[in-house]
Amino acid sequence: MLDALSAILDARDIVTTSPDIDPYLEDALGEFHQPAIAAVKPRNTEQVAAIVRLCAEHNIAIATRGGGSGFNGGATPTPEARQIVISLERMNTIREVDTDNDVIIAEAGVVLAHVQKAADDANRLFPVSFGGEGTAHIGGIIGTNAGGNNVVRYGMTRAQILGLEVVLPDGTIWDGMKVLRKDNTGYDLKQLFIGAEGTLGIVTAAALALRPKPRVRATAIAAVPDVATALTTFRRLREEVGELIGAFELIPRSGFEAIRAHKGELNAPFAELPEWATLIELEASAKSLDLNTLLEEALAAIWEDVGLEDAVIAQSEGQRQAFWALREGLGEALSVSPKTLKSDTSVPLKAIPEFVEKTTEKVMAVLPDAIPIPFGHVGDGNIHYNVAVPDSIDLETFRKHKNALADAVHSTAVALGGSVSAEHGLGQLKRDLAAAAMSDAELDLMHKIKNAIDPEGIMNPDKVIKTR
Ligand SMILES: Cc1cc2nc3c(=O)[nH]c(=O)nc-3n(C[C@H](O)[C@H](O)[C@H](O)COP(=O)(O)OP(=O)(O)OC[C@H]3O[C@@H](n4cnc5c(N)ncnc54)[C@H](O)[C@@H]3O)c2cc1C
């Protein structure tokens, strides 16, 4: 196998030994770590196709890897199969920035932040944005159908994809790089590969839709007494300013405290920390729109009805960045502690208050000292219900209760018609959890799709759904 790989790739693009191979065997979750025959780094689509043909011939499984910032063990090898890791990191060219068609053509290994920068330089916006954007690749965000902070306005990654180039499990290259906004010629094949987490093929390049660049923004943090008020604020603001809402995030008091504990300080715009706060951002492309005044008037118009407690509108770009640093800092604070349960649930918008309330009851029944930290994207129903514990609870005790805590979160979301994975995908971590919530018909259809496109089961086996 290694000899055959050497005939396709340059020797420096094949890694087989520790410590060089180690980073390719883990993702940001850090829970799954299995060996691989090699990690290989093809430089073009033809090389990817040749490697896949080789793997198909020798029945070697493939773990496809982007930036490795995923949270579900999707990019890492699985225990059973003999496999290689294919990293797309060397395929990092932006092939074209086309402002006539408002499209960027990027290879799978381009870092998301680089695509955002290229769009910005061309006076456009590529709207997918989240804390891992300096690490995640275009192939990875397509593989996971990543969400992030701007979904409420622009949709998930799926909504930004016009065309794909994909290497199929038998090594065929499918050139689906159309740049059409309207195209009803049969099944929309590209959709199959978006969010498939590398189980149906390897995305090698994509045509990404660009949006008008926002030129004005207004950002506020508003204090609210409870989650229901946060949701009403969102609804009423939406009536007042409609599509101008670019982000609407929720942060609990416990979240602010977690940031303070992590950083040793807290730069929050309140004399006293509120029970809950919402981070609200409006954005528009028309320079002449005075969004600060618009936001101020909209908040004043709903203030009494909704029951807002306090609100601060950022007066400078520096203050805006400071507000966002709180939101991003919370993700960072929670990711460093091994004694934190992380979750990625979504529920229908109107169920958000009930979801938080019921989950909190169940979590406290499992561990009365637990510290619930539900936060995230109110505008799209994606609440990351995280649970921390005080210093008095040691790691072992936390681990003993972790599954029961996770069950409290997931069972509540599912009972309310929600999802156990709003944006991070399933990988190895949530495969069985998701399957348990699916109907037989749904699961059967997924297996039929997998088996039709990848009959030998070599593409990321046992991720997303169990091989059968
Ligand atoms: C600090 C931080 C914040 C984050 N915030 C968010 C957030 O707000 N929203 C969100 O959605 N995610 C978030 N994530 C998770 C992660 O960044 C995303 O899931 C991202 O899309 C993964 O991209 P990646 O290139 O790192 O993919 P990887 O982790 O390398 O892979 C992820 C999955 O995609 C598959 N894949 C990778 N490349 C390809 C390809 N070329 N073709 C086919 N399949 C492929 C892999 O096999 C794997 O199953 C965050 C991560 C971090 C570290």
PDB file of all heavy atoms in Angstrom, residues 27-28 64-71 74-75 88 108 130-132 135-137 139-141 143-144 146-149 197-198 201-203 377 423-424 460, ligand 1:
ATOM      1  N   ASP A  27      -9.204  14.890  16.602  1.00  0.00           N
ATOM      2  CA  ASP A  27      -9.818  16.169  16.236  1.00  0.00           C
ATOM      3  C   ASP A  27      -9.954  17.022  17.500  1.00  0.00           C
ATOM      4  O   ASP A  27      -9.418  16.661  18.552  1.00  0.00           O
ATOM      5  CB  ASP A  27     -11.153  15.970  15.510  1.00  0.00           C
ATOM      6  CG  ASP A  27     -12.234  15.343  16.403  1.00  0.00           C
ATOM      7  OD1 ASP A  27     -11.958  15.096  17.602  1.00  0.00           O
ATOM      8  OD2 ASP A  27     -13.339  15.099  15.900  1.00  0.00           O
ATOM      9  N   ALA A  28     -10.676  18.147  17.398  1.00  0.00           N
ATOM     10  CA  ALA A  28     -10.742  19.076  18.531  1.00  0.00           C
ATOM     11  C   ALA A  28     -11.442  18.465  19.746  1.00  0.00           C
ATOM     12  O   ALA A  28     -11.243  18.908  20.872  1.00  0.00           O
ATOM     13  CB  ALA A  28     -11.458  20.362  18.106  1.00  0.00           C
ATOM     14  N   THR A  64     -11.448  11.103   5.932  1.00  0.00           N
ATOM     15  CA  THR A  64     -11.135  12.388   5.274  1.00  0.00           C
ATOM     16  C   THR A  64     -11.010  13.472   6.327  1.00  0.00           C
ATOM     17  O   THR A  64     -11.793  13.536   7.267  1.00  0.00           O
ATOM     18  CB  THR A  64     -12.249  12.753   4.271  1.00  0.00           C
ATOM     19  OG1 THR A  64     -12.340  11.705   3.322  1.00  0.00           O
ATOM     20  CG2 THR A  64     -11.933  14.052   3.562  1.00  0.00           C
ATOM     21  N   ARG A  65     -10.010  14.331   6.129  1.00  0.00           N
ATOM     22  CA  ARG A  65      -9.716  15.330   7.156  1.00  0.00           C
ATOM     23  C   ARG A  65      -9.581  16.721   6.566  1.00  0.00           C
ATOM     24  O   ARG A  65      -8.929  16.922   5.541  1.00  0.00           O
ATOM     25  CB  ARG A  65      -8.396  14.946   7.827  1.00  0.00           C
ATOM     26  CG  ARG A  65      -8.043  15.827   8.989  1.00  0.00           C
ATOM     27  CD  ARG A  65      -6.692  15.427   9.572  1.00  0.00           C
ATOM     28  NE  ARG A  65      -6.405  16.264  10.703  1.00  0.00           N
ATOM     29  CZ  ARG A  65      -6.836  16.048  11.930  1.00  0.00           C
ATOM     30  NH1 ARG A  65      -7.547  14.980  12.175  1.00  0.00           N
ATOM     31  NH2 ARG A  65      -6.552  16.886  12.913  1.00  0.00           N
ATOM     32  N   GLY A  66     -10.213  17.686   7.254  1.00  0.00           N
ATOM     33  CA  GLY A  66     -10.017  19.085   6.918  1.00  0.00           C
ATOM     34  C   GLY A  66      -9.066  19.699   7.923  1.00  0.00           C
ATOM     35  O   GLY A  66      -7.922  19.269   8.076  1.00  0.00           O
ATOM     36  N   GLY A  67      -9.554  20.693   8.673  1.00  0.00           N
ATOM     37  CA  GLY A  67      -8.708  21.357   9.669  1.00  0.00           C
ATOM     38  C   GLY A  67      -8.643  20.616  10.997  1.00  0.00           C
ATOM     39  O   GLY A  67      -7.907  21.017  11.905  1.00  0.00           O
ATOM     40  N   GLY A  68      -9.431  19.569  11.149  1.00  0.00           N
ATOM     41  CA  GLY A  68      -9.423  18.807  12.409  1.00  0.00           C
ATOM     42  C   GLY A  68     -10.065  19.562  13.567  1.00  0.00           C
ATOM     43  O   GLY A  68      -9.848  19.226  14.730  1.00  0.00           O
ATOM     44  N   SER A  69     -10.900  20.576  13.266  1.00  0.00           N
ATOM     45  CA  SER A  69     -11.519  21.349  14.353  1.00  0.00           C
ATOM     46  C   SER A  69     -12.897  20.808  14.730  1.00  0.00           C
ATOM     47  O   SER A  69     -13.602  21.412  15.536  1.00  0.00           O
ATOM     48  CB  SER A  69     -11.646  22.822  13.955  1.00  0.00           C
ATOM     49  OG  SER A  69     -12.593  22.970  12.914  1.00  0.00           O
ATOM     50  N   GLY A  70     -13.265  19.667  14.154  1.00  0.00           N
ATOM     51  CA  GLY A  70     -14.583  19.094  14.429  1.00  0.00           C
ATOM     52  C   GLY A  70     -14.694  18.579  15.862  1.00  0.00           C
ATOM     53  O   GLY A  70     -13.698  18.256  16.516  1.00  0.00           O
ATOM     54  N   PHE A  71     -15.944  18.464  16.318  1.00  0.00           N
ATOM     55  CA  PHE A  71     -16.204  18.089  17.713  1.00  0.00           C
ATOM     56  C   PHE A  71     -16.852  16.715  17.848  1.00  0.00           C
ATOM     57  O   PHE A  71     -17.578  16.471  18.809  1.00  0.00           O
ATOM     58  CB  PHE A  71     -17.147  19.121  18.351  1.00  0.00           C
ATOM     59  CG  PHE A  71     -16.477  20.413  18.744  1.00  0.00           C
ATOM     60  CD1 PHE A  71     -17.122  21.632  18.539  1.00  0.00           C
ATOM     61  CD2 PHE A  71     -15.229  20.436  19.329  1.00  0.00           C
ATOM     62  CE1 PHE A  71     -16.527  22.827  18.910  1.00  0.00           C
ATOM     63  CE2 PHE A  71     -14.622  21.621  19.702  1.00  0.00           C
ATOM     64  CZ  PHE A  71     -15.266  22.820  19.494  1.00  0.00           C
ATOM     65  N   GLY A  74     -15.280  12.786  13.703  1.00  0.00           N
ATOM     66  CA  GLY A  74     -15.614  12.483  12.310  1.00  0.00           C
ATOM     67  C   GLY A  74     -14.380  12.355  11.423  1.00  0.00           C
ATOM     68  O   GLY A  74     -14.357  11.571  10.485  1.00  0.00           O
ATOM     69  N   ALA A  75     -13.351  13.118  11.729  1.00  0.00           N
ATOM     70  CA  ALA A  75     -12.166  13.150  10.861  1.00  0.00           C
ATOM     71  C   ALA A  75     -11.100  12.146  11.306  1.00  0.00           C
ATOM     72  O   ALA A  75     -10.074  12.005  10.659  1.00  0.00           O
ATOM     73  CB  ALA A  75     -11.575  14.557  10.851  1.00  0.00           C
ATOM     74  N   LEU A  88      -6.757  17.198   3.247  1.00  0.00           N
ATOM     75  CA  LEU A  88      -6.847  18.059   2.057  1.00  0.00           C
ATOM     76  C   LEU A  88      -6.036  19.347   2.224  1.00  0.00           C
ATOM     77  O   LEU A  88      -6.162  20.264   1.436  1.00  0.00           O
ATOM     78  CB  LEU A  88      -8.319  18.396   1.785  1.00  0.00           C
ATOM     79  CG  LEU A  88      -9.219  17.377   1.075  1.00  0.00           C
ATOM     80  CD1 LEU A  88      -8.755  17.202  -0.376  1.00  0.00           C
ATOM     81  CD2 LEU A  88      -9.277  16.027   1.728  1.00  0.00           C
ATOM     82  N   ALA A 108     -10.816  22.427  -1.345  1.00  0.00           N
ATOM     83  CA  ALA A 108     -11.345  21.979  -0.049  1.00  0.00           C
ATOM     84  C   ALA A 108     -10.441  22.354   1.126  1.00  0.00           C
ATOM     85  O   ALA A 108     -10.922  22.557   2.236  1.00  0.00           O
ATOM     86  CB  ALA A 108     -11.546  20.468  -0.079  1.00  0.00           C
ATOM     87  N   PHE A 130     -17.548  31.382  12.665  1.00  0.00           N
ATOM     88  CA  PHE A 130     -17.629  30.835  14.034  1.00  0.00           C
ATOM     89  C   PHE A 130     -16.232  30.796  14.637  1.00  0.00           C
ATOM     90  O   PHE A 130     -15.232  31.080  13.946  1.00  0.00           O
ATOM     91  CB  PHE A 130     -18.298  29.451  14.050  1.00  0.00           C
ATOM     92  CG  PHE A 130     -17.685  28.439  13.112  1.00  0.00           C
ATOM     93  CD1 PHE A 130     -16.595  27.693  13.488  1.00  0.00           C
ATOM     94  CD2 PHE A 130     -18.220  28.236  11.854  1.00  0.00           C
ATOM     95  CE1 PHE A 130     -16.039  26.750  12.629  1.00  0.00           C
ATOM     96  CE2 PHE A 130     -17.678  27.300  10.991  1.00  0.00           C
ATOM     97  CZ  PHE A 130     -16.579  26.555  11.383  1.00  0.00           C
ATOM     98  N   GLY A 131     -16.168  30.433  15.919  1.00  0.00           N
ATOM     99  CA  GLY A 131     -14.911  30.485  16.662  1.00  0.00           C
ATOM    100  C   GLY A 131     -13.763  29.698  16.041  1.00  0.00           C
ATOM    101  O   GLY A 131     -12.599  30.056  16.216  1.00  0.00           O
ATOM    102  N   GLY A 132     -14.059  28.634  15.317  1.00  0.00           N
ATOM    103  CA  GLY A 132     -12.992  27.800  14.746  1.00  0.00           C
ATOM    104  C   GLY A 132     -12.608  28.197  13.325  1.00  0.00           C
ATOM    105  O   GLY A 132     -11.926  27.431  12.624  1.00  0.00           O
ATOM    106  N   THR A 135      -9.139  27.704  11.732  1.00  0.00           N
ATOM    107  CA  THR A 135      -8.646  26.325  11.607  1.00  0.00           C
ATOM    108  C   THR A 135      -9.463  25.509  10.608  1.00  0.00           C
ATOM    109  O   THR A 135      -8.908  24.721   9.842  1.00  0.00           O
ATOM    110  CB  THR A 135      -8.741  25.606  12.986  1.00  0.00           C
ATOM    111  OG1 THR A 135      -8.235  26.479  13.982  1.00  0.00           O
ATOM    112  CG2 THR A 135      -7.936  24.321  12.990  1.00  0.00           C
ATOM    113  N   ALA A 136     -10.780  25.680  10.645  1.00  0.00           N
ATOM    114  CA  ALA A 136     -11.665  24.850   9.799  1.00  0.00           C
ATOM    115  C   ALA A 136     -11.409  25.138   8.318  1.00  0.00           C
ATOM    116  O   ALA A 136     -11.081  26.255   7.930  1.00  0.00           O
ATOM    117  CB  ALA A 136     -13.126  25.154  10.140  1.00  0.00           C
ATOM    118  N   HIS A 137     -11.551  24.095   7.504  1.00  0.00           N
ATOM    119  CA  HIS A 137     -11.372  24.213   6.055  1.00  0.00           C
ATOM    120  C   HIS A 137     -12.730  24.253   5.345  1.00  0.00           C
ATOM    121  O   HIS A 137     -13.741  23.818   5.899  1.00  0.00           O
ATOM    122  CB  HIS A 137     -10.617  22.992   5.514  1.00  0.00           C
ATOM    123  CG  HIS A 137      -9.203  22.895   5.964  1.00  0.00           C
ATOM    124  ND1 HIS A 137      -8.383  21.841   5.616  1.00  0.00           N
ATOM    125  CD2 HIS A 137      -8.438  23.727   6.718  1.00  0.00           C
ATOM    126  CE1 HIS A 137      -7.183  22.012   6.150  1.00  0.00           C
ATOM    127  NE2 HIS A 137      -7.200  23.147   6.821  1.00  0.00           N
ATOM    128  N   GLY A 139     -13.632  22.263   2.966  1.00  0.00           N
ATOM    129  CA  GLY A 139     -14.095  20.868   2.891  1.00  0.00           C
ATOM    130  C   GLY A 139     -14.754  20.439   4.187  1.00  0.00           C
ATOM    131  O   GLY A 139     -15.764  19.721   4.186  1.00  0.00           O
ATOM    132  N   GLY A 140     -14.194  20.872   5.308  1.00  0.00           N
ATOM    133  CA  GLY A 140     -14.735  20.510   6.625  1.00  0.00           C
ATOM    134  C   GLY A 140     -16.077  21.166   6.894  1.00  0.00           C
ATOM    135  O   GLY A 140     -16.999  20.528   7.408  1.00  0.00           O
ATOM    136  N   ILE A 141     -16.199  22.450   6.522  1.00  0.00           N
ATOM    137  CA  ILE A 141     -17.500  23.102   6.809  1.00  0.00           C
ATOM    138  C   ILE A 141     -18.589  22.521   5.903  1.00  0.00           C
ATOM    139  O   ILE A 141     -19.745  22.452   6.283  1.00  0.00           O
ATOM    140  CB  ILE A 141     -17.453  24.660   6.711  1.00  0.00           C
ATOM    141  CG1 ILE A 141     -17.227  25.155   5.292  1.00  0.00           C
ATOM    142  CG2 ILE A 141     -16.453  25.257   7.671  1.00  0.00           C
ATOM    143  CD1 ILE A 141     -17.604  26.622   5.102  1.00  0.00           C
ATOM    144  N   GLY A 143     -18.446  19.305   4.814  1.00  0.00           N
ATOM    145  CA  GLY A 143     -18.638  17.965   5.378  1.00  0.00           C
ATOM    146  C   GLY A 143     -19.584  17.982   6.571  1.00  0.00           C
ATOM    147  O   GLY A 143     -20.394  17.071   6.748  1.00  0.00           O
ATOM    148  N   THR A 144     -19.487  19.029   7.397  1.00  0.00           N
ATOM    149  CA  THR A 144     -20.333  19.085   8.601  1.00  0.00           C
ATOM    150  C   THR A 144     -21.559  19.980   8.431  1.00  0.00           C
ATOM    151  O   THR A 144     -22.353  20.091   9.355  1.00  0.00           O
ATOM    152  CB  THR A 144     -19.535  19.645   9.806  1.00  0.00           C
ATOM    153  OG1 THR A 144     -19.023  20.924   9.439  1.00  0.00           O
ATOM    154  CG2 THR A 144     -18.399  18.740  10.214  1.00  0.00           C
ATOM    155  N   ALA A 146     -21.555  23.249   8.505  1.00  0.00           N
ATOM    156  CA  ALA A 146     -21.343  24.066   9.713  1.00  0.00           C
ATOM    157  C   ALA A 146     -22.342  25.220   9.802  1.00  0.00           C
ATOM    158  O   ALA A 146     -22.829  25.725   8.792  1.00  0.00           O
ATOM    159  CB  ALA A 146     -19.916  24.604   9.717  1.00  0.00           C
ATOM    160  N   GLY A 147     -22.628  25.606  11.037  1.00  0.00           N
ATOM    161  CA  GLY A 147     -23.559  26.719  11.292  1.00  0.00           C
ATOM    162  C   GLY A 147     -22.805  27.956  11.709  1.00  0.00           C
ATOM    163  O   GLY A 147     -22.106  28.559  10.911  1.00  0.00           O
ATOM    164  N   GLY A 148     -22.898  28.327  12.978  1.00  0.00           N
ATOM    165  CA  GLY A 148     -22.164  29.489  13.470  1.00  0.00           C
ATOM    166  C   GLY A 148     -23.086  30.632  13.834  1.00  0.00           C
ATOM    167  O   GLY A 148     -24.280  30.446  14.077  1.00  0.00           O
ATOM    168  N   ASN A 149     -22.495  31.835  13.844  1.00  0.00           N
ATOM    169  CA  ASN A 149     -23.194  32.977  14.444  1.00  0.00           C
ATOM    170  C   ASN A 149     -24.204  33.669  13.524  1.00  0.00           C
ATOM    171  O   ASN A 149     -25.034  34.434  14.002  1.00  0.00           O
ATOM    172  CB  ASN A 149     -22.161  34.019  14.893  1.00  0.00           C
ATOM    173  CG  ASN A 149     -21.218  33.441  15.930  1.00  0.00           C
ATOM    174  OD1 ASN A 149     -21.614  32.559  16.700  1.00  0.00           O
ATOM    175  ND2 ASN A 149     -19.984  33.904  15.950  1.00  0.00           N
ATOM    176  N   GLU A 197     -20.375  14.339   6.183  1.00  0.00           N
ATOM    177  CA  GLU A 197     -19.189  14.069   7.017  1.00  0.00           C
ATOM    178  C   GLU A 197     -18.224  13.077   6.355  1.00  0.00           C
ATOM    179  O   GLU A 197     -17.679  12.190   7.015  1.00  0.00           O
ATOM    180  CB  GLU A 197     -19.621  13.584   8.401  1.00  0.00           C
ATOM    181  CG  GLU A 197     -20.525  14.595   9.121  1.00  0.00           C
ATOM    182  CD  GLU A 197     -20.937  14.155  10.503  1.00  0.00           C
ATOM    183  OE1 GLU A 197     -20.079  13.624  11.232  1.00  0.00           O
ATOM    184  OE2 GLU A 197     -22.110  14.338  10.865  1.00  0.00           O
ATOM    185  N   GLY A 198     -18.037  13.220   5.061  1.00  0.00           N
ATOM    186  CA  GLY A 198     -17.050  12.393   4.359  1.00  0.00           C
ATOM    187  C   GLY A 198     -17.459  10.941   4.200  1.00  0.00           C
ATOM    188  O   GLY A 198     -16.628  10.099   3.877  1.00  0.00           O
ATOM    189  N   GLY A 201     -18.230  10.658  -0.083  1.00  0.00           N
ATOM    190  CA  GLY A 201     -17.237  11.082  -1.065  1.00  0.00           C
ATOM    191  C   GLY A 201     -16.347  12.158  -0.458  1.00  0.00           C
ATOM    192  O   GLY A 201     -16.607  12.627   0.650  1.00  0.00           O
ATOM    193  N   ILE A 202     -15.318  12.521  -1.223  1.00  0.00           N
ATOM    194  CA  ILE A 202     -14.396  13.558  -0.741  1.00  0.00           C
ATOM    195  C   ILE A 202     -14.595  14.819  -1.576  1.00  0.00           C
ATOM    196  O   ILE A 202     -14.407  14.801  -2.797  1.00  0.00           O
ATOM    197  CB  ILE A 202     -12.927  13.086  -0.844  1.00  0.00           C
ATOM    198  CG1 ILE A 202     -12.729  11.813  -0.018  1.00  0.00           C
ATOM    199  CG2 ILE A 202     -11.984  14.195  -0.410  1.00  0.00           C
ATOM    200  CD1 ILE A 202     -11.321  11.241  -0.097  1.00  0.00           C
ATOM    201  N   VAL A 203     -15.015  15.884  -0.910  1.00  0.00           N
ATOM    202  CA  VAL A 203     -15.163  17.171  -1.599  1.00  0.00           C
ATOM    203  C   VAL A 203     -13.766  17.712  -1.867  1.00  0.00           C
ATOM    204  O   VAL A 203     -12.944  17.807  -0.940  1.00  0.00           O
ATOM    205  CB  VAL A 203     -15.950  18.162  -0.712  1.00  0.00           C
ATOM    206  CG1 VAL A 203     -15.979  19.548  -1.348  1.00  0.00           C
ATOM    207  CG2 VAL A 203     -17.360  17.643  -0.460  1.00  0.00           C
ATOM    208  N   HIS A 377     -27.361  30.268  20.056  1.00  0.00           N
ATOM    209  CA  HIS A 377     -27.993  30.994  18.968  1.00  0.00           C
ATOM    210  C   HIS A 377     -29.519  30.965  19.103  1.00  0.00           C
ATOM    211  O   HIS A 377     -30.184  30.099  18.532  1.00  0.00           O
ATOM    212  CB  HIS A 377     -27.569  30.369  17.642  1.00  0.00           C
ATOM    213  CG  HIS A 377     -26.119  29.947  17.599  1.00  0.00           C
ATOM    214  ND1 HIS A 377     -25.073  30.847  17.646  1.00  0.00           N
ATOM    215  CD2 HIS A 377     -25.528  28.730  17.526  1.00  0.00           C
ATOM    216  CE1 HIS A 377     -23.911  30.186  17.579  1.00  0.00           C
ATOM    217  NE2 HIS A 377     -24.167  28.899  17.523  1.00  0.00           N
ATOM    218  N   GLU A 423     -25.417  21.532  14.757  1.00  0.00           N
ATOM    219  CA  GLU A 423     -24.446  22.023  13.774  1.00  0.00           C
ATOM    220  C   GLU A 423     -23.124  21.272  13.760  1.00  0.00           C
ATOM    221  O   GLU A 423     -22.338  21.433  12.845  1.00  0.00           O
ATOM    222  CB  GLU A 423     -24.212  23.529  13.964  1.00  0.00           C
ATOM    223  CG  GLU A 423     -23.772  23.925  15.367  1.00  0.00           C
ATOM    224  CD  GLU A 423     -23.502  25.416  15.519  1.00  0.00           C
ATOM    225  OE1 GLU A 423     -23.874  26.201  14.648  1.00  0.00           O
ATOM    226  OE2 GLU A 423     -22.889  25.796  16.539  1.00  0.00           O
ATOM    227  N   HIS A 424     -22.825  20.459  14.751  1.00  0.00           N
ATOM    228  CA  HIS A 424     -21.509  19.804  14.790  1.00  0.00           C
ATOM    229  C   HIS A 424     -21.477  18.456  14.076  1.00  0.00           C
ATOM    230  O   HIS A 424     -20.414  17.892  13.885  1.00  0.00           O
ATOM    231  CB  HIS A 424     -21.036  19.620  16.238  1.00  0.00           C
ATOM    232  CG  HIS A 424     -20.788  20.922  16.942  1.00  0.00           C
ATOM    233  ND1 HIS A 424     -20.745  21.034  18.308  1.00  0.00           N
ATOM    234  CD2 HIS A 424     -20.580  22.160  16.466  1.00  0.00           C
ATOM    235  CE1 HIS A 424     -20.523  22.299  18.634  1.00  0.00           C
ATOM    236  NE2 HIS A 424     -20.431  23.000  17.533  1.00  0.00           N
ATOM    237  N   ASN A 460     -15.108   6.831   5.375  1.00  0.00           N
ATOM    238  CA  ASN A 460     -15.419   7.143   6.777  1.00  0.00           C
ATOM    239  C   ASN A 460     -16.378   6.119   7.379  1.00  0.00           C
ATOM    240  O   ASN A 460     -17.464   6.466   7.867  1.00  0.00           O
ATOM    241  CB  ASN A 460     -16.018   8.559   6.876  1.00  0.00           C
ATOM    242  CG  ASN A 460     -15.049   9.523   7.513  1.00  0.00           C
ATOM    243  OD1 ASN A 460     -13.983   9.128   8.007  1.00  0.00           O
ATOM    244  ND2 ASN A 460     -15.387  10.799   7.527  1.00  0.00           N
TER     245      ASN A 460
HETATM  246  C1  LIG B   1     -13.420  27.087  18.844  1.00  0.00           C
HETATM  247  C2  LIG B   1     -14.365  26.336  17.935  1.00  0.00           C
HETATM  248  C3  LIG B   1     -15.618  26.862  17.685  1.00  0.00           C
HETATM  249  C4  LIG B   1     -16.494  26.170  16.850  1.00  0.00           C
HETATM  250  N1  LIG B   1     -17.731  26.726  16.608  1.00  0.00           N
HETATM  251  C5  LIG B   1     -18.562  26.114  15.742  1.00  0.00           C
HETATM  252  C6  LIG B   1     -19.834  26.706  15.423  1.00  0.00           C
HETATM  253  O1  LIG B   1     -20.218  27.739  15.950  1.00  0.00           O
HETATM  254  N2  LIG B   1     -20.598  26.066  14.511  1.00  0.00           N
HETATM  255  C7  LIG B   1     -20.214  24.896  13.902  1.00  0.00           C
HETATM  256  O2  LIG B   1     -20.953  24.373  13.061  1.00  0.00           O
HETATM  257  N3  LIG B   1     -19.044  24.311  14.210  1.00  0.00           N
HETATM  258  C8  LIG B   1     -18.206  24.884  15.108  1.00  0.00           C
HETATM  259  N4  LIG B   1     -17.023  24.278  15.428  1.00  0.00           N
HETATM  260  C9  LIG B   1     -16.736  22.912  14.948  1.00  0.00           C
HETATM  261  C10 LIG B   1     -15.888  22.816  13.686  1.00  0.00           C
HETATM  262  O3  LIG B   1     -15.057  23.915  13.525  1.00  0.00           O
HETATM  263  C11 LIG B   1     -16.766  22.645  12.455  1.00  0.00           C
HETATM  264  O4  LIG B   1     -17.454  21.421  12.551  1.00  0.00           O
HETATM  265  C12 LIG B   1     -15.990  22.673  11.134  1.00  0.00           C
HETATM  266  O5  LIG B   1     -16.928  22.672  10.089  1.00  0.00           O
HETATM  267  C13 LIG B   1     -15.017  21.519  10.940  1.00  0.00           C
HETATM  268  O6  LIG B   1     -14.147  21.849   9.868  1.00  0.00           O
HETATM  269  P1  LIG B   1     -12.741  21.122   9.714  1.00  0.00           P
HETATM  270  O7  LIG B   1     -12.168  21.541   8.410  1.00  0.00           O
HETATM  271  O8  LIG B   1     -11.899  21.347  10.895  1.00  0.00           O
HETATM  272  O9  LIG B   1     -13.220  19.625   9.596  1.00  0.00           O
HETATM  273  P2  LIG B   1     -12.636  18.301  10.285  1.00  0.00           P
HETATM  274  O10 LIG B   1     -12.758  18.387  11.760  1.00  0.00           O
HETATM  275  O11 LIG B   1     -11.304  17.988   9.733  1.00  0.00           O
HETATM  276  O12 LIG B   1     -13.696  17.250   9.726  1.00  0.00           O
HETATM  277  C14 LIG B   1     -15.046  17.332  10.095  1.00  0.00           C
HETATM  278  C15 LIG B   1     -15.854  16.332   9.272  1.00  0.00           C
HETATM  279  O13 LIG B   1     -15.879  16.736   7.901  1.00  0.00           O
HETATM  280  C16 LIG B   1     -15.347  15.705   7.073  1.00  0.00           C
HETATM  281  N5  LIG B   1     -14.562  16.349   6.021  1.00  0.00           N
HETATM  282  C17 LIG B   1     -13.474  17.142   6.177  1.00  0.00           C
HETATM  283  N6  LIG B   1     -13.010  17.527   4.972  1.00  0.00           N
HETATM  284  C18 LIG B   1     -13.824  16.962   4.040  1.00  0.00           C
HETATM  285  C19 LIG B   1     -13.849  16.954   2.623  1.00  0.00           C
HETATM  286  N7  LIG B   1     -12.938  17.623   1.916  1.00  0.00           N
HETATM  287  N8  LIG B   1     -14.801  16.250   1.986  1.00  0.00           N
HETATM  288  C20 LIG B   1     -15.729  15.545   2.680  1.00  0.00           C
HETATM  289  N9  LIG B   1     -15.755  15.502   4.032  1.00  0.00           N
HETATM  290  C21 LIG B   1     -14.817  16.204   4.702  1.00  0.00           C
HETATM  291  C22 LIG B   1     -14.493  14.853   7.999  1.00  0.00           C
HETATM  292  O14 LIG B   1     -14.357  13.537   7.514  1.00  0.00           O
HETATM  293  C23 LIG B   1     -15.267  14.924   9.286  1.00  0.00           C
HETATM  294  O15 LIG B   1     -16.306  13.989   9.274  1.00  0.00           O
HETATM  295  C24 LIG B   1     -16.110  24.940  16.260  1.00  0.00           C
HETATM  296  C25 LIG B   1     -14.838  24.431  16.511  1.00  0.00           C
HETATM  297  C26 LIG B   1     -13.967  25.106  17.334  1.00  0.00           C
HETATM  298  C27 LIG B   1     -12.607  24.511  17.573  1.00  0.00           C
END
